Amino acid sequence: MTDAAARATEVARASYGRLVALLAARSGDIAGAEDALGDAFARALQRWPEEGVPDRPDAWLMTVARNRMKDRWKSAAECRRAPEAAAEDIMAEITAIDPEGIPDARLRLMFVCAHPAIDAKVRTPLMLQVVLGLDVATIGPAFLVPPATLAQRLVRAKRKVRDAAIPFSLPGREHMPERLDAVLEAIYGAFSVEAGEELREEAVYLSDMMAALMPESAEVLGLGALLLFASARDAAARVEGRFVPLAEQNVGLWDRMRLRRAEVMLARAGAMGDLGRFQLEAAIQAVHCDRAKTGETDWRAIEHLYVGLMQTAPTVGAAVGQAAAVGEVHGPRAGLTALDRIEADALAVHQPGWAVRAHLLARDGQTRAAAAAYDRALGLSSDAAVRAWLSARRDALSPQRI
Amino acid sequence: MRYTLFLYSNEADFADVSKADMDESKAAFGAYIGALKEAGVFVDTDWLQPSMTATTITLKGGERRVQDGPYADTKDQLGGYFVLDVADLDAALDWAAKCPSVHYGYVEVRPTAFPA
């Protein structure tokens, strides 16, 4: 890649969402803004290698995109929210915008993408596309959706933003907690999609960005810390393509810089005295990561944190984590009893639930039942490395007792 | 931006409401309309007779067909509507959340296809 191309790519990641937000804010036309911006980036890739990268690349891209939008509005009444006369006003307004002058433009776009009027399952992909400029071919596989289907859903969502006039503004104090929750949930969704390893870093980027834009919100910092703690272990969780579970990871492979940043972020969040789900999850990860310093895992602390998490956000995942912690502190029987208290239908299709059950059964000497539980976990895993690890565990069960 | 609020509720819930309850409901809607007018967002409204009074007509397929009853025979039925003129969807949703019927039914919020 040439320097100019590399620079365009870098600017794209950092500026894409901000420029989309600025171009679409008044008209609500995200698709139109993206088209114009796509043209501007294409132009940049042609011109920058010859003419050099401009001093203010954002402003350059904004001007080109703006002119593109103007051309299109002249040729057709594209802007439904404000046709004809109003289009002139909007153009004048966009022209007056300094792309570096509104730092929270991307933040507003995040709230648009995670608006309750947008279908919950589209929010995460919409955010990845509109804020980061990722294409459907990259996003689709992670959500196990064919690109054409995903593209359709995204088009529909953008149309809704425009036609229903979802505002590009920050929610008022009254609605902020639930709206912010939806934004954080959507970012977390990008981090935790099963097939989406390449999206994990994008989610970390988005949560970092949120932490920079809303440094006064404890849960924003909580999510930031959670994703940093969890992603710091990525290199240790896959060694030469093999899956390595947390308990067996070489802590020397954990990303110390990331862990340090996570600790600082969580401490800042904790000082605000507004405890929430993401801070509790981050705290659980923090205890796990302390193993790098102390050499052991404080399961009692983890068990305690899960009690808080179950009071705040009682999900199946949290209940399974709690059962695992109970198993470590009070023995496998107690862990199994905790598992049996979880709603059976939800647990039946929960892969980690079966993996934890298998582990607890094996520790309790119930080898036959453990093998069956490993099989259930295997049936629910699509990740080849995780499957290989589960089969190895099952095969390692003492054969004479099966 | 114009939005129409469609008020849906289960008519069976009102099968035997007292006159007092009815008066209270009318007063609540009256106050709501007053608030909408005061805020300068009110355009239009109507309160409809129960769906058993509905008659549905179509010329689809070329011939005139008239049928007794509402178009869709669902548990929750359209009982009235409001047309509001507000800035955006969030404002429309905030007004919808203040509509008296939102406590016992559903309010569907739809934007106009002819924005000003």
Side-chain angles (χ1 to χ4, degrees):
Chain A
M1 208 188 287
T2 65
D3 278 359
R7 186 87 170 94
T9 310
E10 191 191 309
V11 172
R13 194 186 192 197
S15 308
Y16 189 87
R18 182 166 49 237
L19 295 175
V20 168
L22 293 171
L23 289 165
R26 260 293 252 122
S27 68
D29 186 5
I30 292 176
E34 285 183 315
D35 285 349
L37 203 52
D39 287 349
F41 275 110
R43 181 88 66 90
L45 283 175
Q46 278 175 13
R47 301 263 297 266
W48 293 3
E50 292 164 27
E51 300 168 14
V53 179
D55 290 343
R56 298 175 65 211
D58 270 18
W60 190 97
L61 289 163
M62 184 86 174
T63 306
V64 176
R66 199 153 51 203
N67 291 337
R68 253 327 124 84
M69 280 181 99
K70 214 182 285 182
D71 292 346
R72 288 207 312 149
W73 286 2
K74 268 186 210 146
S75 62
E78 284 262 359
C79 177
R80 288 191 56 202
R81 202 191 292 182
E84 289 109 47
E88 283 300 312
D89 292 350
I90 290 177
M91 254 320 144
E93 229 174 87
I94 293 179
T95 307
I97 292 171
D98 173 0
E100 278 134 44
I102 304 179
D104 67 352
R106 276 197 293 186
L107 187 59
R108 298 181 198 192
L109 193 58
M110 298 287 277
F111 279 98
V112 169
C113 292
H115 195 282
I118 300 290
D119 181 2
K121 65 176 181 297
V122 188
R123 292 177 198 162
T124 301
L126 187 64
M127 209 174 252
L128 291 169
Q129 185 179 61
V130 171
V131 180
L132 294 179
L134 298 185
D135 60 16
V136 164
T138 310
I139 307 168
F143 295 89
L144 311 173
V145 180
T149 310
L150 181 62
Q152 261 305 313
R153 287 181 189 164
L154 291 170
V155 166
R156 218 177 296 141
K158 288 173 205 170
R159 212 174 277 159
K160 173 137 192 204
V161 170
R162 184 189 65 188
D163 294 347
I166 292 177
F168 282 60
S169 56
L170 299 181
R173 188 184 298 262
E174 183 193 354
H175 298 304
M176 185 50 104
E178 46 153 354
R179 294 285 308 276
L180 181 57
D181 215 48
V183 170
L184 299 182
E185 202 62 61
I187 297 174
Y188 189 58
F191 188 78
S192 46
V193 280
E194 196 184 345
E197 263 166 60
E198 68 277 19
L199 295 185
R200 283 168 73 90
E201 275 308 303
E202 305 296 344
V204 173
Y205 183 87
L206 284 176
S207 71
D208 259 356
M209 183 186 101
M210 286 295 290
L213 292 168
M214 296 187 78
E216 72 297 340
S217 164
E219 274 296 85
V220 169
L221 299 181
L223 177 70
L226 170 61
L227 301 198
L228 288 172
F229 275 124
S231 62
R233 302 193 304 251
D234 280 356
R238 300 279 155 145
V239 177
E240 289 160 4
R242 278 183 308 109
F243 170 72
V244 184
L246 179 53
E248 293 163 24
Q249 286 172 17
N250 172 3
V251 300
L253 293 176
W254 290 355
D255 182 336
R256 297 286 166 125
M257 276 290 285
R258 240 174 223 225
L259 292 180
R260 186 73 201 116
R261 280 181 57 215
E263 282 164 6
V264 170
M265 222 184 245
L266 185 57
R268 263 170 57 209
M272 293 175 191
D274 181 19
L275 194 59
R277 175 226 168 147
F278 290 117
Q279 289 168 78
L280 282 160
E281 290 201 38
I284 290 168
Q285 296 307 318
V287 177
H288 279 300
C289 291
D290 271 345
R291 182 152 66 83
K293 294 176 198 157
T294 63
E296 54 193 51
T297 302
D298 184 352
W299 283 104
R300 280 184 191 280
I302 292 176
E303 186 196 12
H304 184 70
L305 287 165
Y306 268 116
V307 173
L309 182 59
M310 284 300 285
Q311 278 165 7
T312 316
T315 61
V316 181
V320 167
Q322 184 178 34
V326 167
E328 293 298 330
V329 177
H330 306 284
R333 291 271 166 94
L336 289 165
T337 306
L339 270 183
D340 288 337
R341 277 198 293 266
I342 304 172
E343 207 255 308
D345 286 350
L347 195 58
V349 293
H350 195 258
Q351 188 267 348
W354 285 106
V356 167
R357 185 181 293 279
H359 173 69
L360 292 169
L361 286 166
R363 275 185 56 204
D364 194 42
Q366 303 185 51
T367 317
R368 195 183 303 248
Y374 275 125
D375 283 335
R376 292 293 295 266
L378 269 162
L380 293 164
S381 308
S382 56
D383 184 320
V386 172
R387 290 176 56 87
W389 176 77
L390 287 167
S391 322
R393 278 287 161 114
R394 186 196 53 197
D395 296 345
L397 292 166
S398 44
Q400 70 274 21
R401 288 159 82 180
I402 290 185
Chain B
M1 181 88 174
R2 238 171 28 249
Y3 293 85
T4 301
L5 279 45
F6 296 94
L7 281 49
Y8 289 90
S9 56
N10 188 345
E11 293 170 346
D13 294 347
F14 308 95
D16 34 37
V17 283
S18 66
K19 169 132 190 348
D21 285 346
M22 198 57 148
D23 288 346
E24 198 181 305
S25 183
K26 278 184 181 155
F29 274 99
Y32 181 56
I33 292 169
L36 292 169
K37 285 185 173 164
E38 201 178 323
V41 299
F42 179 85
V43 179
D44 191 16
T45 184
D46 206 355
W47 179 326
L48 307 174
Q49 291 277 1
S51 62
M52 60 165 286
T53 64
T55 309
T56 305
I57 180 168
T58 182
L59 289 173
K60 210 174 153 183
E63 76 183 296
R64 176 183 156 116
R65 273 181 300 145
V66 176
Q67 199 181 306
D68 173 44
Y71 164 63
D73 197 9
T74 49
K75 192 174 96 223
D76 291 301
Q77 282 290 333
L78 184 65
Y81 70 89
F82 283 91
V83 181
L84 311 182
D85 194 354
V86 293
D88 53 44
L89 182 64
D90 282 355
L93 289 172
D94 281 346
W95 278 112
K98 291 186 184 121
C99 177
S101 74
V102 84
H103 297 287
Y104 52 79
Y106 300 85
V107 177
E108 180 177 319
V109 179
R110 295 269 289 267
T112 177
F114 299 100

